Amino acid sequence: MTKRRLDPSFYRRDALEVARDILGRTLCRRLAGGTLLRGRIVEVEAYSGPRDRASHAWPGRTARNAPMFAAGGIAYVYLVYGVHHCVNVVTGARDHPAAVLLRAAESPDGLGSASGPGRLARAFGIDRSLDGASLTGPDLWLEAGDGVADSEVGVTRRIGVDYAGAWARRRMRFVIRGHPALSGPRALNRRARTITPRSR
DNA sequence: GGTGCGATTGCA
DNA sequence: GCAATCGCACCA
């Protein structure tokens, strides 16, 4: 018996809400050979709207960021530094550019961890061939169920976006507090604020 | 057609 | 601390 996939309605919401709700979910990847990789997501970042200075969508629509402008429910995968792939889940309505970057997960083999966006992409065999791919299709999806309680969620500023001025300081990164697979500075993770019902 | 650089990682 | 290594945004 296989678990249900999260459907498009899950993704077609505000990126901050989707980001928080992705924590604890299981990322699933079916490789060409048929192998199924599954791992629990423990760290994400939201990139939300045309005014988010840190977002790839900030300069407007381009060839690279086009998937971010689609309706939620597809992947946005790009190459950074010519070396590493980064995997995003596109969120919100069509023409509203927003996405959630998957930054860390428990490793698919259940042994180590996929700590950091580049390592996560590699561990799950995700590259640009999945850019624009459906998250309700056969290759890549999230399982329904398995969320985490607000008390387990930590919020911090995003990593590696210092160029974004005030937007760099906004609390748009969500983590499972104290999880060993978290990337980023330990001090930042320690200082992660607990989410409050009021902030939802 | 040329130039600059990045939502990172691994190694010196 | 810094090189790797490529797509692509932007300008001429």
Side-chain angles (χ1 to χ4, degrees), chain A residues 172-188:
Chain A
M172 298 177 78
R173 173 175 175 258
F174 298 79
V175 304
I176 295 182
R177 294 176 64 105
H179 195 283
L182 297 186
S183 69
R186 290 182 70 92
L188 180 65

PDB file of all heavy atoms in Angstrom, chain A residues 172-188:
ATOM      1  N   MET A 172      12.615  33.500   6.667  1.00  0.00           N
ATOM      2  CA  MET A 172      11.940  32.723   5.626  1.00  0.00           C
ATOM      3  C   MET A 172      12.541  31.333   5.483  1.00  0.00           C
ATOM      4  O   MET A 172      12.259  30.616   4.533  1.00  0.00           O
ATOM      5  CB  MET A 172      11.991  33.502   4.307  1.00  0.00           C
ATOM      6  CG  MET A 172      11.253  34.843   4.409  1.00  0.00           C
ATOM      7  SD  MET A 172      11.337  35.877   2.925  1.00  0.00           S
ATOM      8  CE  MET A 172      10.128  35.101   1.860  1.00  0.00           C
ATOM      9  N   ARG A 173      13.386  30.954   6.429  1.00  0.00           N
ATOM     10  CA  ARG A 173      13.969  29.603   6.450  1.00  0.00           C
ATOM     11  C   ARG A 173      13.328  28.824   7.592  1.00  0.00           C
ATOM     12  O   ARG A 173      13.241  29.336   8.715  1.00  0.00           O
ATOM     13  CB  ARG A 173      15.478  29.686   6.633  1.00  0.00           C
ATOM     14  CG  ARG A 173      16.193  28.342   6.829  1.00  0.00           C
ATOM     15  CD  ARG A 173      17.702  28.565   6.876  1.00  0.00           C
ATOM     16  NE  ARG A 173      18.480  27.366   7.165  1.00  0.00           N
ATOM     17  CZ  ARG A 173      19.017  27.092   8.355  1.00  0.00           C
ATOM     18  NH1 ARG A 173      18.840  27.908   9.366  1.00  0.00           N
ATOM     19  NH2 ARG A 173      19.727  25.990   8.528  1.00  0.00           N
ATOM     20  N   PHE A 174      12.900  27.611   7.293  1.00  0.00           N
ATOM     21  CA  PHE A 174      12.215  26.775   8.288  1.00  0.00           C
ATOM     22  C   PHE A 174      12.988  25.491   8.512  1.00  0.00           C
ATOM     23  O   PHE A 174      13.418  24.848   7.549  1.00  0.00           O
ATOM     24  CB  PHE A 174      10.796  26.448   7.817  1.00  0.00           C
ATOM     25  CG  PHE A 174       9.924  27.674   7.651  1.00  0.00           C
ATOM     26  CD1 PHE A 174      10.035  28.469   6.516  1.00  0.00           C
ATOM     27  CD2 PHE A 174       9.018  28.044   8.637  1.00  0.00           C
ATOM     28  CE1 PHE A 174       9.251  29.613   6.357  1.00  0.00           C
ATOM     29  CE2 PHE A 174       8.230  29.183   8.489  1.00  0.00           C
ATOM     30  CZ  PHE A 174       8.344  29.967   7.349  1.00  0.00           C
ATOM     31  N   VAL A 175      13.183  25.129   9.750  1.00  0.00           N
ATOM     32  CA  VAL A 175      13.947  23.924  10.086  1.00  0.00           C
ATOM     33  C   VAL A 175      13.207  23.107  11.137  1.00  0.00           C
ATOM     34  O   VAL A 175      12.358  23.640  11.869  1.00  0.00           O
ATOM     35  CB  VAL A 175      15.352  24.284  10.636  1.00  0.00           C
ATOM     36  CG1 VAL A 175      16.121  25.145   9.650  1.00  0.00           C
ATOM     37  CG2 VAL A 175      15.235  24.995  11.995  1.00  0.00           C
ATOM     38  N   ILE A 176      13.531  21.812  11.183  1.00  0.00           N
ATOM     39  CA  ILE A 176      13.102  21.008  12.319  1.00  0.00           C
ATOM     40  C   ILE A 176      14.148  21.233  13.401  1.00  0.00           C
ATOM     41  O   ILE A 176      15.320  20.870  13.228  1.00  0.00           O
ATOM     42  CB  ILE A 176      12.989  19.517  11.951  1.00  0.00           C
ATOM     43  CG1 ILE A 176      11.871  19.326  10.917  1.00  0.00           C
ATOM     44  CG2 ILE A 176      12.711  18.683  13.200  1.00  0.00           C
ATOM     45  CD1 ILE A 176      11.639  17.878  10.520  1.00  0.00           C
ATOM     46  N   ARG A 177      13.732  21.860  14.470  1.00  0.00           N
ATOM     47  CA  ARG A 177      14.682  22.312  15.487  1.00  0.00           C
ATOM     48  C   ARG A 177      15.565  21.177  15.991  1.00  0.00           C
ATOM     49  O   ARG A 177      15.085  20.103  16.309  1.00  0.00           O
ATOM     50  CB  ARG A 177      13.929  22.920  16.675  1.00  0.00           C
ATOM     51  CG  ARG A 177      13.188  24.185  16.318  1.00  0.00           C
ATOM     52  CD  ARG A 177      12.387  24.666  17.512  1.00  0.00           C
ATOM     53  NE  ARG A 177      13.269  25.035  18.607  1.00  0.00           N
ATOM     54  CZ  ARG A 177      13.541  26.285  18.958  1.00  0.00           C
ATOM     55  NH1 ARG A 177      12.993  27.272  18.295  1.00  0.00           N
ATOM     56  NH2 ARG A 177      14.337  26.530  19.959  1.00  0.00           N
ATOM     57  N   GLY A 178      16.884  21.474  16.010  1.00  0.00           N
ATOM     58  CA  GLY A 178      17.824  20.529  16.585  1.00  0.00           C
ATOM     59  C   GLY A 178      18.119  19.300  15.736  1.00  0.00           C
ATOM     60  O   GLY A 178      18.852  18.417  16.177  1.00  0.00           O
ATOM     61  N   HIS A 179      17.575  19.248  14.521  1.00  0.00           N
ATOM     62  CA  HIS A 179      17.825  18.065  13.698  1.00  0.00           C
ATOM     63  C   HIS A 179      19.287  18.018  13.261  1.00  0.00           C
ATOM     64  O   HIS A 179      19.831  19.030  12.828  1.00  0.00           O
ATOM     65  CB  HIS A 179      16.917  18.052  12.478  1.00  0.00           C
ATOM     66  CG  HIS A 179      16.864  16.714  11.805  1.00  0.00           C
ATOM     67  ND1 HIS A 179      17.876  16.240  11.001  1.00  0.00           N
ATOM     68  CD2 HIS A 179      15.939  15.722  11.871  1.00  0.00           C
ATOM     69  CE1 HIS A 179      17.557  15.032  10.575  1.00  0.00           C
ATOM     70  NE2 HIS A 179      16.392  14.700  11.089  1.00  0.00           N
ATOM     71  N   PRO A 180      19.936  16.855  13.353  1.00  0.00           N
ATOM     72  CA  PRO A 180      21.363  16.748  13.032  1.00  0.00           C
ATOM     73  C   PRO A 180      21.695  17.011  11.569  1.00  0.00           C
ATOM     74  O   PRO A 180      22.855  17.315  11.251  1.00  0.00           O
ATOM     75  CB  PRO A 180      21.711  15.304  13.418  1.00  0.00           C
ATOM     76  CG  PRO A 180      20.411  14.578  13.484  1.00  0.00           C
ATOM     77  CD  PRO A 180      19.391  15.601  13.901  1.00  0.00           C
ATOM     78  N   ALA A 181      20.741  16.911  10.668  1.00  0.00           N
ATOM     79  CA  ALA A 181      21.033  17.071   9.241  1.00  0.00           C
ATOM     80  C   ALA A 181      20.955  18.519   8.777  1.00  0.00           C
ATOM     81  O   ALA A 181      21.144  18.791   7.592  1.00  0.00           O
ATOM     82  CB  ALA A 181      20.083  16.210   8.415  1.00  0.00           C
ATOM     83  N   LEU A 182      20.697  19.460   9.658  1.00  0.00           N
ATOM     84  CA  LEU A 182      20.573  20.856   9.233  1.00  0.00           C
ATOM     85  C   LEU A 182      21.879  21.371   8.658  1.00  0.00           C
ATOM     86  O   LEU A 182      22.951  21.073   9.168  1.00  0.00           O
ATOM     87  CB  LEU A 182      20.166  21.740  10.418  1.00  0.00           C
ATOM     88  CG  LEU A 182      18.808  21.465  11.048  1.00  0.00           C
ATOM     89  CD1 LEU A 182      18.497  22.524  12.099  1.00  0.00           C
ATOM     90  CD2 LEU A 182      17.713  21.397   9.998  1.00  0.00           C
ATOM     91  N   SER A 183      21.786  22.170   7.574  1.00  0.00           N
ATOM     92  CA  SER A 183      22.954  22.857   7.046  1.00  0.00           C
ATOM     93  C   SER A 183      22.996  24.240   7.689  1.00  0.00           C
ATOM     94  O   SER A 183      22.148  24.574   8.508  1.00  0.00           O
ATOM     95  CB  SER A 183      22.857  22.959   5.525  1.00  0.00           C
ATOM     96  OG  SER A 183      21.831  23.851   5.149  1.00  0.00           O
ATOM     97  N   GLY A 184      23.980  25.034   7.277  1.00  0.00           N
ATOM     98  CA  GLY A 184      24.069  26.397   7.798  1.00  0.00           C
ATOM     99  C   GLY A 184      24.803  26.453   9.122  1.00  0.00           C
ATOM    100  O   GLY A 184      25.062  25.431   9.736  1.00  0.00           O
ATOM    101  N   PRO A 185      25.158  27.671   9.535  1.00  0.00           N
ATOM    102  CA  PRO A 185      25.922  27.875  10.768  1.00  0.00           C
ATOM    103  C   PRO A 185      25.178  27.334  11.994  1.00  0.00           C
ATOM    104  O   PRO A 185      23.989  27.575  12.153  1.00  0.00           O
ATOM    105  CB  PRO A 185      26.064  29.401  10.852  1.00  0.00           C
ATOM    106  CG  PRO A 185      25.808  29.905   9.482  1.00  0.00           C
ATOM    107  CD  PRO A 185      24.878  28.942   8.831  1.00  0.00           C
ATOM    108  N   ARG A 186      25.898  26.633  12.815  1.00  0.00           N
ATOM    109  CA  ARG A 186      25.286  26.073  14.024  1.00  0.00           C
ATOM    110  C   ARG A 186      24.663  27.152  14.892  1.00  0.00           C
ATOM    111  O   ARG A 186      23.590  26.965  15.468  1.00  0.00           O
ATOM    112  CB  ARG A 186      26.337  25.316  14.844  1.00  0.00           C
ATOM    113  CG  ARG A 186      26.802  24.036  14.202  1.00  0.00           C
ATOM    114  CD  ARG A 186      27.815  23.325  15.099  1.00  0.00           C
ATOM    115  NE  ARG A 186      27.214  22.785  16.307  1.00  0.00           N
ATOM    116  CZ  ARG A 186      26.746  21.552  16.428  1.00  0.00           C
ATOM    117  NH1 ARG A 186      26.807  20.729  15.396  1.00  0.00           N
ATOM    118  NH2 ARG A 186      26.228  21.132  17.560  1.00  0.00           N
ATOM    119  N   ALA A 187      25.367  28.288  14.964  1.00  0.00           N
ATOM    120  CA  ALA A 187      24.868  29.381  15.805  1.00  0.00           C
ATOM    121  C   ALA A 187      23.494  29.845  15.318  1.00  0.00           C
ATOM    122  O   ALA A 187      22.589  30.099  16.112  1.00  0.00           O
ATOM    123  CB  ALA A 187      25.859  30.538  15.801  1.00  0.00           C
ATOM    124  N   LEU A 188      23.356  29.936  13.998  1.00  0.00           N
ATOM    125  CA  LEU A 188      22.077  30.358  13.421  1.00  0.00           C
ATOM    126  C   LEU A 188      20.984  29.346  13.751  1.00  0.00           C
ATOM    127  O   LEU A 188      19.864  29.725  14.120  1.00  0.00           O
ATOM    128  CB  LEU A 188      22.215  30.500  11.904  1.00  0.00           C
ATOM    129  CG  LEU A 188      20.944  30.935  11.156  1.00  0.00           C
ATOM    130  CD1 LEU A 188      20.530  32.337  11.562  1.00  0.00           C
ATOM    131  CD2 LEU A 188      21.143  30.847   9.652  1.00  0.00           C
TER     132      LEU A 188
END
